[in-house]
Amino acid sequence: MKRINSTGFALLGAGLVAISYGLARFAFGLFVPPIRAELALTPQTIGILGALPLLSFVLATLIAPFVTERLGARTTIMLSGGFAVAGLLLISLARGAWSLGVGVIACGICTGLMMPALTAAMQQLVNRAVHGRVSAVMNAGTSLGVMLAAPAIVLLTGAWRMAYLCFALLAAVAVIITWWRIPAMSRPAPAAPSAKLSKLPWWPLGRLSLFALAMGFVSSAYWIFAPDLVVSLGSLPAGATGWLWLAVGLAGLSGAAVADLADRIHSALTHALMFTLLAASLALLAAGSGQLLPSVVSAFIFGLAYMSLTGLYLMTAVRLLPGRLSMGPVLPFMACALGQAAGSPVIGNLVNSVGYQHGFAIFSAAAIVVAALSALYPQNNGR
């Protein structure tokens, strides 16, 4: 088997992230309107279902470094893909909230295992000098998955079961490609001497995790209820929501450049800028929900902000933990998922009690507050 180079690994990793994050995790919000209509689900139920894969993601993320060390990076990546196949297939066959919940839980396990396994493989296969850039490129793969989901809702309006069946087939293909292209690795070789747990930079890691928690909380409104907002409040056709996710995916590709941007203008300033854009996307969607153009512009801004922020968190964690790369994504990604799990039912209740516009306005205001605190964002030197 020919050894994969850094570029090939980054592209393969982006493809795997596209399946696990873009399709298995974030495509769900795009299909909420037809799923909700066919299965007769309330906003509160959707909010709870939106939280389930995030909770299973957190649990899977906690054990991912140990699973990766025990089984090896390639086997763990393939295991992640297996959960994606099972979860996507179960969603396509769902007959109610319970069966749908089991499917989204399996998808959450998939996403929780994927990135730690990929970073462990990167530690052994990729030159350490480009770890930050490769991580950002892989993270931008979420945008590719979101873009794959966009034409599905346009071409298969109302046929969400067929769309999820196609997603399951793509996940199965990804498992085969992983077996073919990534060499077997029993244990990742450390890129740098691993520090003792007591000597890890816990203060900056804690601040990083709090920012990721806040970002997950705020973004949950968009991922779960943005398509439902433009359909229910704006009276746009269900197929029009595909344009939103296409805009999110296209803009999110720019997240691959966040490492270079943060190095040029400072991580804290990059964080403040992107969080301000996140707030603007929520406000714009609520204000212009009845029109397609403002909604698509809002989605473009959201995609740019969200993918850049997750890329920034991943890059910072990898640089703070150079000898523990499989742990790099664990804290910020787990915190982001916990934030989304907390935010999903909150926005669901807000939508039910005060409506979409006021609910999104409250979340937008929260994002502005977090942006103002970005001076506390940790630097890459561990401070």
Side-chain angles (χ1 to χ4, degrees):
M1 181 181 296
K2 184 179 180 181
R3 186 178 179 88
I4 191 170
N5 59 28
S6 299
T7 301
F9 182 84
L11 294 176
L12 176 57
L16 291 168
V17 169
I19 300 294
S20 58
Y21 282 77
L23 297 182
R25 181 171 171 183
F26 291 126
F28 179 74
L30 182 62
F31 292 92
V32 161
I35 291 176
R36 181 182 167 192
E38 182 175 334
L39 302 182
L41 303 176
T42 65
Q44 294 99 320
T45 302
I46 290 294
I48 294 171
L49 287 171
L52 290 178
L54 303 170
L55 294 175
S56 63
F57 170 89
V58 169
L59 294 176
T61 300
L62 283 172
I63 65 171
F66 306 102
V67 174
T68 302
E69 184 174 355
R70 175 71 62 178
L71 301 181
R74 182 176 73 170
T75 302
T76 306
I77 293 170
M78 293 174 66
L79 179 64
S80 170
F83 275 106
V85 174
L88 292 166
L89 187 59
L90 284 170
I91 292 174
S92 74
L93 300 173
R95 290 291 180 264
W98 285 100
S99 52
L100 186 62
V102 174
V104 297
I105 286 172
C107 287
I109 296 174
C110 158
T111 54
L113 293 175
M114 182 59 75
M115 191 60 82
L118 280 174
T119 50
M122 178 183 72
Q123 181 171 329
Q124 189 165 21
L125 298 174
V126 176
N127 190 306
R128 185 182 176 190
V130 294
H131 278 176
R133 184 169 297 168
V134 169
S135 297
V137 171
M138 290 194 300
N139 185 70
T142 303
S143 296
L144 296 175
V146 169
M147 289 169 63
L148 282 173
I153 193 64
V154 174
L155 300 175
L156 300 172
T157 301
W160 58 273
R161 296 184 187 277
M162 178 60 69
Y164 267 93
L165 179 59
C166 293
F167 296 163
L169 292 174
L170 284 175
V173 171
V175 172
I176 295 172
I177 293 176
T178 298
W179 172 82
W180 177 49
R181 291 295 295 145
I182 295 183
M185 294 169 286
S186 58
R187 295 173 63 92
S194 298
K196 295 181 179 179
L197 289 178
S198 60
K199 295 184 178 180
L200 292 179
W202 289 113
W203 172 233
L205 284 172
R207 300 199 317 268
L208 172 64
S209 297
L210 286 175
F211 279 118
L213 179 77
M215 196 277 287
F217 184 91
V218 171
S219 66
S220 64
Y222 215 103
W223 284 120
I224 302 299
F225 281 105
D228 204 38
L229 185 154
V230 300
V231 172
S232 300
L233 184 63
S235 299
L236 293 175
T241 60
W243 295 108
L244 268 68
W245 255 224
L246 181 62
V248 168
L250 286 172
L253 292 175
S254 61
V258 71
D260 294 330
L261 177 64
D263 288 338
R264 284 178 177 272
I265 69 171
H266 198 276
S267 297
L269 182 57
T270 301
H271 187 267
L273 173 63
M274 294 306 165
F275 235 103
T276 301
L277 290 177
L278 186 63
S281 69
L282 291 164
L284 180 58
L285 185 70
S289 57
Q291 304 176 47
L292 182 59
L293 182 58
S295 299
V296 170
V297 172
S298 164
F300 190 90
I301 296 172
F302 175 79
L304 171 63
Y306 183 89
M307 300 304 174
S308 295
L309 285 168
T310 53
L312 179 64
Y313 297 151
L314 177 59
M315 180 200 75
T316 303
V318 166
R319 291 180 176 178
L320 288 174
L321 297 168
R324 296 175 178 268
L325 290 194
S326 64
M327 285 184 61
V330 170
L331 291 178
F333 278 28
M334 184 173 64
C336 183
L338 283 172
Q340 289 176 333
S344 182
V346 170
I347 188 62
N349 286 323
L350 283 173
V351 166
N352 193 61
S353 58
V354 301
Y356 286 101
Q357 290 182 314
H358 288 94
F360 271 61
I362 292 171
F363 271 55
S364 177
I368 290 294
V369 173
V370 177
L373 297 173
S374 292
L376 296 175
Y377 190 82
Q379 302 177 38
N380 293 327
N381 58 11
R383 296 181 180 179

